[in-house]
Amino acid sequence: MIDEELVAAFRDDGFASLPRLVDDAELEWLRGVYDRLFSEHADFATGDYFDIAARQDSDGPARLPQIVRPEKFAPELVESEHFKRCRAIAARLLDVPEDELDFYGHAILKPPHYGAETPWHQDEGYMDPRWHRRGLSVWTTLDEATVESGCLHYLPGGHLGPVLPHRHIDDDDRIRGLVTDAVDPAAGVAVPLAAGEAVVHTLRAPHYAGPNGTGQTRRAYVLVFMGPVEEVADPEPRPWLDTH
């Protein structure tokens, strides 16, 4: 599945579209697991479920609800063919043996009509600068992801620069989501996907997903894979994080 052209695109641009990762039967199975997780674990009190775009004490419905480590509630996800494919892809692109990769899952839901945007950010902006890990995210959509429903946009080559300055959404540190203003949105490239298709990006690739203005839910299932951890001798400051 992973040819040299795709490897080169990932290396040069920081992201690359993948062939369809799941067939119709597995797609329906993933949707069933996904919907059950959000139905049974949509509770802010657990800490595993949260709205990344708003304060957790907000009175309104969650605009960008997420579940981190859904495999904790549905371990069958790790036994799936989809997981095995994604791990093999990560091993190839990171040049790290599969058994040396750490991982976690991430389920992101954009409700129809009011699902919030995911502002420009780098995944590495959320990471403690005292430690470095080469890693990537495999972002699989369980529904058609269009510009109107909130597909991903990337800044080609943006991963080759530093971690950009970030701040909390609305400048409110009670909101978990981060945003960087050091990106020209006009330079972004949209990556629409059909249901079951995926895109892979490095942890430093600047990316964005628009709001969901359609009548269809946009469900994304993300697998993050990382190589061995390395201590950073002189970590850069990331004042938006509490790393004391």
Side-chain angles (χ1 to χ4, degrees):
M1 295 174 61
I2 307 301
D3 57 23
E4 292 304 319
E5 183 178 357
L6 192 149
V7 172
F10 178 76
R11 181 183 62 243
D12 296 341
D13 296 332
F15 69 96
S17 296
L18 297 172
R20 187 176 180 186
L21 292 186
V22 293
D23 60 22
D24 289 343
E26 190 173 27
L27 180 60
E28 284 305 309
W29 178 79
L30 282 170
R31 286 169 171 166
V33 174
Y34 189 104
D35 291 345
R36 174 171 58 82
L37 286 169
F38 276 92
S39 174
E40 296 178 357
H41 300 285
D43 182 359
F44 290 139
T46 67
D48 303 295
Y49 172 90
F50 57 91
D51 185 350
I52 200 169
R55 289 168 47 180
Q56 306 316 303
D57 59 359
S58 174
D59 293 332
R63 299 175 62 226
L64 194 54
Q66 310 197 16
I67 295 176
V68 175
R69 301 189 184 278
E71 62 276 3
K72 182 169 69 174
F73 306 108
E76 61 269 28
L77 288 170
V78 181
E79 303 301 322
S80 69
E81 293 302 314
H82 174 260
F83 175 84
K84 295 173 185 176
R85 291 187 200 100
C86 291
R87 183 174 57 188
I89 290 168
R92 172 75 189 281
L93 292 176
L94 295 174
D95 195 24
V96 175
E98 290 187 29
D99 60 0
E100 295 182 16
L101 289 171
D102 287 336
F103 77 93
Y104 66 90
H106 193 188
I108 309 172
L109 176 66
K110 282 188 188 279
H113 300 302
Y114 68 89
E117 72 170 2
T118 309
W120 282 100
H121 70 284
Q122 296 163 299
D123 294 341
E124 198 172 341
Y126 287 90
M127 299 173 66
D128 189 330
R130 294 172 295 184
W131 311 97
H132 175 69
R133 308 188 83 170
R134 293 178 55 245
L136 56 76
S137 291
V138 183
W139 195 94
T140 304
T141 182
L142 307 187
D143 306 287
E144 183 182 21
T146 64
V147 171
E148 293 75 22
S149 69
C151 72
L152 286 174
H153 299 237
Y154 292 98
L155 186 67
H159 68 301
L160 300 175
V163 173
L164 302 170
H166 286 67
R167 58 182 175 84
H168 290 269
I169 294 173
D170 294 338
D171 294 312
D172 187 339
D173 60 10
R174 291 168 293 184
I175 299 176
R176 295 177 67 158
L178 297 176
V179 55
T180 179
D181 301 309
V183 169
D184 177 9
V189 175
V191 183
L193 299 169
E197 292 183 340
V199 61
V200 58
H201 63 257
T202 74
L203 298 181
R204 193 171 286 197
H207 57 286
Y208 162 90
N212 184 2
T214 74
Q216 179 184 16
T217 300
R218 197 227 65 186
R219 294 167 288 188
Y221 176 42
V222 187
L223 283 167
V224 180
F225 293 92
M226 296 175 289
V229 64
E230 302 173 2
E231 186 172 3
V232 177
D234 185 21
E236 62 186 17
R238 293 181 190 167
W240 57 90
L241 298 179
D242 182 10
T243 56
H244 301 301

